Amino acid sequence: DAKTTQPNSMESNEEEPVHLPCNHSTISGTDYIHWYRQLPSQGPEYVIHGLTSNVNNRMASLAIAEDRKSSTLILHRATLRDAAVYYCIPNAGGTSYGKLTFGQGTILTVHP
Amino acid sequence: DAGVIQSPRHEVTEMGQEVTLRCKPISGHNSLFWYRQTMMRGLELLIYFNNNVPIDDSGMPEDRFSAKMPNASFSTLKIQPSEPRDSAVYFCASSPNVGGYTFGSGTRLTVV
């Protein structure tokens, strides 16, 4: 599994954009980049994933560096409900798709 | 869609007793995963199944742990005998071939 480096914690104010970085310099060419988040006292939930191109969905945007050694999860307008631990997970496609290895993640605090 | 259903939500048991955790995946999802989460070790993948067949059980800590998936709609994780160090939150997740995981709400196990 590719190693990841994420900040231990970040803070934001409500309704401001948040950029959560992740370094994955050992990522292989076929690894997708997945982001999950875990709200307090809940199981993790899927946020977004991508391979090379930037991706958008209703929850967030994923910006992937051209060399794929880093990516950034973008929350366009943070809300109090976005306070969670955010995990960046490189993961191989194909038969290995199912095996997601969670690191320590980034604890995001959102201030009113 | 009721999501991934885990039972019980909380379990308190005495050391040495058998514990069985249950999971009902989302209908149509063909992969199922058991994770354990503690403060010290974070989220650890214990075992995962694809089409009811165990694919990777390398995360199962020892022979006291066993998991079964007798059909596509049910899985169990059993600990026998239980020990205090098994205290953790146990999550079940399911996923389709292409797409993100959906996690259950977890079972908080306390072994005294």
Side-chain angles (χ1 to χ4, degrees):
Chain A
D1 293 341
K3 289 189 177 181
T4 60
T5 303
Q6 296 181 255
N8 289 332
S9 63
M10 292 184 64
E11 296 187 19
S12 174
N13 294 319
E14 204 174 6
E15 298 192 2
E16 290 184 354
V18 181
H19 290 230
L20 296 160
C22 180
N23 287 324
H24 30 76
S25 58
T26 61
I27 194 170
S28 76
T30 57
D31 282 354
Y32 284 77
I33 300 154
H34 297 252
W35 283 82
Y36 280 74
R37 72 179 184 180
Q38 187 172 20
L39 280 64
S41 302
Q42 295 188 27
E45 66 174 341
Y46 168 81
V47 178
I48 200 167
H49 78 284
L51 184 61
T52 55
S53 303
N54 294 345
V55 184
N56 300 293
N57 66 21
R58 64 175 181 81
M59 289 181 70
S61 295
L62 176 59
I64 301 171
E66 196 169 336
D67 63 6
R68 292 189 4 100
K69 293 185 177 181
S70 66
S71 62
T72 302
L73 180 70
I74 302 165
L75 307 178
H76 294 286
R77 291 184 65 193
T79 68
L80 296 178
R81 195 192 174 277
D82 292 322
V85 181
Y86 286 79
Y87 298 96
C88 162
I89 309 169
N91 170 250
T95 56
S96 300
Y97 176 82
K99 188 174 177 179
L100 295 180
T101 302
F102 287 77
Q104 293 305 307
T106 296
I107 301 171
L108 175 65
T109 301
V110 180
H111 299 289
Chain B
D1 181 2
V4 175
I5 300 172
Q6 292 188 246
S7 63
R9 288 297 306 274
H10 301 274
E11 177 80 36
V12 180
T13 191
E14 292 185 348
M15 182 174 61
Q17 295 298 306
E18 177 180 295
V19 176
T20 299
L21 310 181
R22 297 172 175 79
C23 176
K24 177 178 169 56
I26 290 175
S27 177
H29 283 192
N30 60 346
S31 293
L32 181 139
F33 312 86
W34 282 100
Y35 281 83
R36 176 174 69 176
Q37 186 171 35
T38 61
M39 288 294 293
M40 291 296 294
R41 301 175 67 90
L43 270 164
E44 303 173 278
L45 177 64
L46 300 178
I47 185 171
Y48 83 93
F49 297 83
N50 187 259
N51 293 325
N52 311 338
V53 176
I55 301 300
D56 185 346
D57 65 354
S58 59
M60 296 286 262
E62 47 197 275
D63 291 346
R64 298 184 298 106
F65 285 69
S66 63
K68 293 183 179 179
M69 192 165 186
N71 57 62
S73 60
F74 184 65
S75 177
T76 60
L77 178 68
K78 185 177 293 185
I79 308 172
Q80 166 64 16
S82 58
E83 297 182 3
R85 60 192 168 121
D86 302 330
S87 297
V89 180
Y90 290 80
F91 289 105
C92 176
S94 68
S95 77
N97 268 337
V98 179
Y101 284 21
T102 300
F103 281 78
S105 299
T107 295
R108 181 174 296 276
L109 173 65
T110 304
V111 183
V112 298

